[in-house]
Amino acid sequence: MPEGHTVHRIARQFARHFEGTPVAVSSPQGRFAGDAARIDGRVIVDARAVGKQMFLEFDNGLWLRVHLGIYGAWDFAGRIDVPDARPAAGRRGSGPEYPDSLASIGAPRRLRMAEQERLGDAIEGFPPEPVGQVRVRLLTADAVADLRGPTACEVLTGEEVQEVVDRLGPDPLVDSPKRGEQRFLEKAGRKNQPIALVLMDQNVVSGIGNIYRAEMLFRARLDPFVPARELPEDALRALWRDWTKLLKIGVETGYMLTMETR
């Protein structure tokens, strides 16, 4: 499952290439056609991530909420620049060298043979034809983003978005340092579950997945089976501060770098 750094990078892509311009919204698969019509032709005015969830705000007050889950991914094509992101195996890169190429951000794509063959060919024309089961397509004059396989994809009002965000734990890139740390201490300090489970609970802290939680516990030399509420406050503070550090590195580089010497 894509972890928090990936979703923040996706939000940056939308902010960079899709904000401030009308967006044609469609559902090639057909499952999202009703909601797509509610935001079709509107302008994206904000793109933000909270943990593993992304929210796109449109100029009519509606929001597109996406949770990639285990299998979800965004495919970008057109005039798209993906800084510091190495192209996945079997896919073309993007940027000046590949002006019409397709790059995927999210979960590893599991493609049928026909899809592999199509992605292996040069992309001709713009926009490219949708490949596979595309839940929603966002299209501007020179960029396109296709979403496939998400756990959640829905149009919400501002109030509904706030309700979702209020249920999530703190995110170091959203909450202020002091407020985020305090929220984490209060939530984690009450939990009797093993700390390894608590770090994965998105209602306690946002964005941590299996890889980050394992690496963080190893870095802290903590037993993953110790109940969170039995840990000293200093240990919980150190976990939050380490997550803050690792998340920022992941967003900036596109890699889950957890070894200080690398």
Side-chain angles (χ1 to χ4, degrees):
M1 177 183 293
E3 303 195 27
H5 73 297
T6 296
V7 183
H8 276 286
R9 286 177 66 86
I10 293 171
R12 285 188 175 188
Q13 287 295 93
F14 279 103
R16 182 181 298 116
H17 298 293
F18 290 81
E19 275 189 19
T21 186
V23 179
V25 184
S26 61
S27 179
Q29 180 191 62
R31 290 179 56 185
F32 192 68
D35 269 355
R38 301 172 65 191
I39 51 178
D40 182 33
R42 310 302 304 199
V43 175
I44 293 178
V45 297
D46 192 17
R48 65 180 66 173
V50 181
K52 299 180 181 181
Q53 305 201 40
M54 189 187 72
F55 305 90
L56 298 178
E57 182 183 10
F58 291 80
D59 63 354
N60 61 351
L62 295 177
W63 294 71
L64 175 63
R65 168 187 171 246
V66 173
H67 190 317
L68 293 176
I70 297 176
Y71 301 111
W74 284 100
D75 290 342
F76 294 91
R79 295 183 180 177
I80 294 292
D81 175 36
V82 188
D84 304 316
R86 183 173 58 188
R91 254 165 267 145
R92 294 182 179 272
S94 63
E97 187 177 359
Y98 303 102
D100 299 314
S101 66
L102 183 147
S104 179
I105 303 180
R109 290 274 302 280
R110 292 166 173 78
L111 301 177
R112 299 186 183 90
M113 185 177 296
E115 294 175 351
Q116 290 280 17
E117 292 173 353
R118 290 186 62 183
L119 286 180
D121 298 332
I123 297 174
E124 297 181 0
F126 181 84
E129 289 294 320
V131 177
Q133 297 296 307
V134 175
R135 182 75 57 86
V136 61
R137 164 168 279 203
L138 303 178
L139 175 66
T140 71
D142 53 16
V144 62
D146 287 344
L147 173 67
R148 65 188 72 247
T151 291
C153 176
E154 59 182 345
V155 172
L156 302 176
T157 65
E159 292 76 12
E160 291 170 328
V161 167
Q162 192 60 52
E163 290 175 3
V164 173
V165 172
D166 287 344
R167 292 194 296 269
L168 297 174
D171 180 322
L173 297 184
V174 177
D175 294 71
S176 66
K178 289 185 178 180
R179 180 174 182 271
E181 184 172 310
Q182 190 59 38
R183 288 183 65 202
F184 174 69
L185 289 176
E186 293 172 356
K187 289 174 175 287
R190 295 195 298 263
K191 295 290 184 178
N192 195 38
Q193 292 93 345
I195 184 60
L197 292 180
V198 171
L199 289 178
M200 292 273 283
D201 186 342
Q202 300 302 299
N203 294 323
V204 174
V205 56
S206 290
I208 299 176
N210 186 46
I211 296 175
Y212 272 126
R213 68 99 176 252
E215 293 292 321
M216 288 169 59
L217 291 173
F218 179 79
R219 286 162 61 90
R221 301 300 191 266
L222 289 177
D223 181 346
F225 297 101
V226 172
R229 71 180 185 182
E230 294 183 11
L231 288 173
E233 182 178 300
D234 287 348
L236 292 176
R237 289 187 186 276
L239 283 172
W240 169 259
R241 292 173 185 179
D242 198 36
W243 172 227
T244 300
K245 176 181 178 179
L246 295 178
L247 178 59
K248 290 179 179 179
I249 293 172
V251 172
E252 292 302 321
T253 67
Y255 296 97
M256 303 174 82
L257 300 177
T258 61
M259 296 178 65
E260 301 295 340
T261 57
R262 295 299 179 93

